[in-house]
Amino acid sequence: MEGIEHKMVSVNGINMHVAEKGKGPVVLFLHGFPELWYTWRHQILAFAALGYRAVAPDLRGFGDTDAPSSITSYTCLHVVGDMVALIGSLGVDQVFLVAHDWGALVGWYLCMFRPDLIKAFVSLTVPFRPRHPTLKPIESVRALFGDEYYMCRFQEPGKMESEIAEYGAATVIKKILTGRKPGPPILPKQNPFGNFHDTDDIKLPTWFSKEDLKYYTNKYNHKGFTGGLNYYRALDLNWELTAAWTGVQVKIPVKFVVGDLDMVYTTPGMKEYVHGGGFRKDVPLLKECVVIQGAGHFINQERAEEVNAHIHDFIKEFLIV
């Protein structure tokens, strides 16, 4: 990770760790769960070499960024507030936004609340999710996928943390990152991450080294998983807070990239939304939806060069020469 600079920035009442490299137009990279700024290591180096300033924070609750204890400190308003302050600290009026997983959800909120700050958005794996006018998110997914759907299992404070602790951070991270089972993610109440005696046999994929796993494990052993899990626990509160944005379109130029084996993309109803006109109706400036064959959820790491090319081909259209 040669040449990547690390600093702490005061944003929205917390201290945020930021990794960055390069000079030029800013590309802001937002990670998901259970990840860190480190998920963007390939992108930071590539885009710095292409003449951009690549910036990747640890979101609140993750890595070396502060982790407030209250669930109510993890709403979309808090996290978008962090990003607005971070962009302001960079000394620029607008950024290119690239985001994955939970970071993409934060990205959609950022585009919805502060479109003036975003030149263009590349969303990886998570399309826009319009607010349902009457159904809260957790009751909705529980009705569709049952109590063992991962978002439902994450709701009780402390419960998932204790289950993760039984396996250990390294095993859980390895299990999540190597998982390629399509469809809605289910965490059984018994052995949610597999049989204990089998977990040592999980082989790392070629795109994720032992050194990568060690970095993640060290950070999660220090910070814990509660910050990341609190994003899921604030989903219903987000629904309440965003009532005023019901039916609002996201009017930012967008490119969507997803793997055909992705757990979100293969969840029932998602392909129909992405390709059937619903996505474009909600995001009228959606330029393209790219489906990468044979790729799973963590495409920015698994298919880094291919994803980098898709990102650059899109954002370079918006450069002012």
Side-chain angles (χ1 to χ4, degrees):
M1 299 296 102
E2 186 178 344
I4 295 178
E5 298 178 6
H6 297 268
K7 62 184 180 183
M8 298 299 292
V9 181
S10 179
V11 298
N12 195 24
I14 64 169
N15 296 307
M16 175 167 280
H17 167 250
V18 180
E20 70 167 88
K21 184 176 183 178
K23 297 186 185 306
V26 174
V27 185
L28 178 60
F29 295 96
L30 306 183
H31 68 81
F33 176 86
E35 295 186 275
L36 303 161
W37 75 268
Y38 191 85
T39 190
W40 300 110
R41 59 198 178 279
H42 306 300
Q43 286 72 34
I44 292 172
L45 299 177
F47 280 85
L50 287 167
Y52 295 88
R53 183 183 177 189
V55 178
D58 283 330
L59 298 182
R60 70 164 54 206
F62 291 91
D64 293 322
T65 294
D66 288 351
S69 58
S70 171
I71 292 170
T72 57
S73 295
Y74 291 84
T75 73
C76 54
L77 298 181
H78 288 85
V79 187
V80 170
D82 297 345
M83 293 304 105
V84 171
L86 175 59
I87 292 168
S89 77
L90 299 173
V92 296
D93 295 327
Q94 287 189 314
V95 300
F96 292 113
L97 182 63
V98 180
H100 171 257
D101 188 79
W102 243 108
L105 193 52
V106 174
W108 289 115
Y109 282 127
L110 179 55
C111 290
M112 193 162 67
F113 298 157
R114 292 300 303 272
D116 57 304
L117 298 178
I118 310 301
K119 291 180 189 174
F121 178 29
V122 179
S123 177
L124 306 181
T125 73
V126 176
F128 181 64
R129 295 177 176 182
R131 180 187 184 275
H132 195 286
T134 58
L135 283 179
K136 291 186 177 182
I138 298 305
E139 67 179 281
S140 178
V141 294
R142 182 174 280 116
L144 288 170
F145 308 123
D147 289 335
E148 294 187 334
Y149 183 62
Y150 77 111
M151 288 187 185
C152 301
R153 292 276 278 113
F154 287 173
Q155 292 303 305
E156 184 182 339
K159 175 69 173 170
M160 184 52 58
E161 288 92 329
S162 66
E163 293 182 20
I164 288 172
E166 290 184 35
Y167 285 88
T171 295
V172 170
I173 291 166
K174 198 161 48 166
K175 178 74 173 178
I176 293 173
L177 265 65
T178 56
R180 299 177 76 81
K181 183 179 179 181
I186 300 299
L187 293 178
K189 292 178 181 177
Q190 298 296 321
N191 301 333
F193 299 102
N195 291 318
F196 285 86
H197 62 274
D198 294 333
T199 53
D200 288 339
D201 298 329
I202 302 170
K203 290 184 171 56
L204 290 176
T206 55
W207 48 268
F208 196 79
S209 70
K210 289 181 180 178
E211 290 73 25
D212 297 333
L213 179 62
K214 184 178 179 182
Y215 186 89
Y216 274 78
T217 302
N218 287 343
K219 293 299 180 185
Y220 275 95
N221 279 338
H222 175 70
K223 178 72 75 176
F225 287 80
T226 299
L229 293 168
N230 280 346
Y231 284 72
Y232 296 92
R233 293 166 183 159
L235 278 168
D236 281 353
L237 182 53
N238 286 342
W239 181 86
E240 294 176 14
L241 292 170
T242 54
W245 286 269
T246 302
V248 167
Q249 295 175 316
V250 173
K251 295 183 178 177
I252 296 289
V254 170
K255 182 173 186 173
F256 177 64
V257 185
V258 69
D260 70 327
L261 302 176
D262 185 277
M263 61 183 185
V264 178
Y265 182 65
T266 54
T267 292
M270 193 60 74
K271 291 181 184 179
E272 292 80 0
Y273 173 70
V274 168
H275 303 294
F279 193 11
R280 190 171 297 280
K281 177 176 175 291
D282 294 325
V283 185
L285 299 182
L286 177 66
K287 303 295 184 183
E288 188 179 6
C289 293
V290 176
V291 180
I292 298 178
Q293 298 302 309
H297 184 65
F298 298 93
I299 51 173
N300 50 321
Q301 299 178 81
E302 180 183 349
R303 304 284 273 271
E305 290 188 10
E306 195 173 344
V307 168
N308 292 351
H310 280 301
I311 295 168
H312 190 230
D313 285 347
F314 181 59
I315 67 174
K316 69 183 182 183
E317 298 176 24
F318 303 93
L319 291 173
I320 299 173
V321 180

